[in-house]
Amino acid sequence: LISETHGVLPRPRPVYAYASSLSGTLPTELGALTKMTANLDVSGNFITSVPTELGRWQDINVNFKLHSNQLCSSLPTEVQALSSSVTSGWQVKTSNNLLGLPCTWPNVPTALASDTTSISYNGMALTGTVPTELGLLTDVTAIDLSENQLSSALPTQIGSLTRVTALDFSSNQLSLALPTELGSLVDLSVSFDLTANELSSTIPTQLGGAVKLASSFQLASNKLSQGLPTQLGQLEKFKGTFAVESNSLCGFVPSEVQALSYSVTAGWTVASGNSFGTPCCQVTSGFNCLPVVGLDTSTTTSLALSTGEYTATVPTQVGLLTEVTALDVGFNSLTGPLPTQLGAMTKLSAQAVFSSNQLSSSVPTELGMLT
């Protein structure tokens, strides 16, 4: 903070402290400089409030600069009144995005006008959660709350902002699962960026509904797990940055998603820091699972996997391989029940071998469909 001794200077001198990492409020003692006529510049800091006492500077007429801070709430009327006598260099509102709004972040959305179309509070040291009331601002088309310290989960109410074209919550501390309601953001066309958070669980399949998205899909540097949903292949207009590196993704990149890479010009970063090529059940449990997830469901016609090396359960995804005519997973150490989804493999005409394993429970009745 500016020292309180500034208020007892024998002769007022210009106060220059721009871009000095100042924070908090200006000291009330500055109000004693009643003969100040020019040059207060504390721009480019992190100052949050201005004391009423600055309103005593009734002789100031040049350069009153408080822009590019974190001023919030209302400017004291006594200070605002000085603007009528400052003929050059009155800069207060510029880049003080919270001026006129509550100083406590979660209360900001409730104070915004219902017809607000843009929310931009980048790098303003905001803390706490993303309030559910944000979902009431249904005219919003762009949100940038990046580079703050927002935490916990994104509220499901975000899905109500169906006019949003650009969404940026990157570089925060958001955690837990991405809400499936994000799939309702059908007008997303510019950017979807949640890079560098602490998001976990899976990537919602519903994000494949953002078919207008063309420039930016970024979920890198989180804690997301399992595979990339096939539905992301529906983003056929995509040409920008596709970044999901540095997570815990596994399995195989679906061919529908990989096809997007041919049109991406700005950056395709998928494999680095993930475990693609390794079955997800092996990543999560350490078991050596049957490698069926990610196989091409239209061209795979046989599975010969009686090698004695596979453990864990038979994955339910095997039922998606409906073109398979011969299946041999005998002489392994597979456990648990046979999945009912095997009943969908109606072209199994040559063989279906499960012998010499450690399977349990009853044989599913759905196998009766394999005629």
Side-chain angles (χ1 to χ4, degrees), residues 27-297:
T28 58
E29 287 77 7
L30 285 177
L33 302 177
T34 56
K35 295 183 179 180
M36 180 73 75
T37 60
N39 298 326
L40 168 70
D41 189 350
V42 291
S43 60
N45 288 290
F46 303 96
I47 296 167
T48 55
S49 62
V50 178
T52 302
E53 287 77 3
L54 280 188
R56 299 175 187 170
W57 292 16
Q58 297 183 10
D59 292 334
I60 192 164
N61 55 68
V62 176
N63 290 344
F64 191 94
K65 298 182 177 182
L66 295 170
H67 63 89
S68 304
N69 276 287
Q70 294 181 1
L71 297 179
C72 54
S73 191
S74 299
L75 197 68
T77 55
E78 296 86 346
V79 177
Q80 183 62 45
L82 300 178
S83 63
S84 60
S85 59
V86 175
T87 57
S88 174
W90 177 267
Q91 298 181 36
V92 175
K93 290 186 177 181
T94 303
S95 297
N96 279 308
N97 292 350
L98 291 177
L99 193 60
L101 294 172
C103 291
T104 305
W105 152 245
N107 295 327
V108 169
T110 60
L112 292 172
S114 59
D115 59 353
T116 297
T117 59
S118 178
I119 297 174
S120 181
Y121 303 127
N122 162 272
M124 297 190 66
L126 304 177
T127 60
T129 61
V130 179
T132 59
E133 289 82 1
L134 195 63
L136 299 175
L137 302 174
T138 53
D139 286 334
V140 166
T141 60
I143 298 176
D144 184 358
L145 290 167
S146 60
E147 298 182 30
N148 286 293
Q149 289 98 49
L150 299 175
S151 58
S152 194
L154 273 178
T156 59
Q157 290 80 358
I158 291 284
S160 299
L161 306 179
T162 55
R163 297 184 182 181
V164 163
T165 62
L167 183 77
D168 191 348
F169 283 93
S170 61
S171 300
N172 277 285
Q173 297 167 14
L174 298 173
S175 60
L176 303 177
L178 285 168
T180 59
E181 287 79 3
L182 288 172
S184 299
L185 305 183
V186 294
D187 275 349
L188 268 178
S189 57
V190 179
S191 64
F192 177 80
D193 193 349
L194 284 106
T195 304
N197 279 283
E198 299 173 11
L199 299 168
S200 58
S201 192
T202 61
I203 298 174
T205 60
Q206 290 83 354
L207 286 177
V211 295
K212 297 179 182 178
L213 192 59
S215 299
S216 175
F217 182 91
Q218 301 193 61
L219 287 170
S221 301
N222 279 285
K223 300 177 181 179
L224 298 166
S225 58
Q226 298 300 311
L228 281 174
T230 302
Q231 289 82 352
L232 291 182
Q234 298 170 16
L235 309 182
E236 296 179 351
K237 294 184 179 181
F238 201 84
K239 299 182 184 301
T241 300
F242 191 98
V244 295
E245 77 271 18
S246 301
N247 278 286
S248 298
L249 300 172
C250 51
F252 298 85
V253 178
S255 57
E256 297 88 341
V257 178
Q258 187 63 45
L260 299 178
S261 66
Y262 303 127
S263 58
V264 166
T265 57
W268 177 267
T269 51
V270 171
S272 177
N274 286 304
S275 298
F276 288 120
T278 304
C280 289
C281 58
Q282 182 172 333
V283 172
T284 56
S285 67
F287 292 121
N288 193 13
C289 311
L290 287 174
V292 299
V293 179
L295 293 178
D296 193 316
T297 58

Side-chain angles (χ1 to χ4, degrees), residues 297-327:
T297 58
S298 61
T299 61
T300 302
T301 58
S302 66
L303 288 174
L305 300 170
S306 58
T307 62
E309 60 182 298
Y310 298 112
T311 56
T313 59
V314 178
T316 59
Q317 291 90 339
V318 71
L320 299 175
L321 302 173
T322 53
E323 298 298 316
V324 167
T325 59
L327 171 64

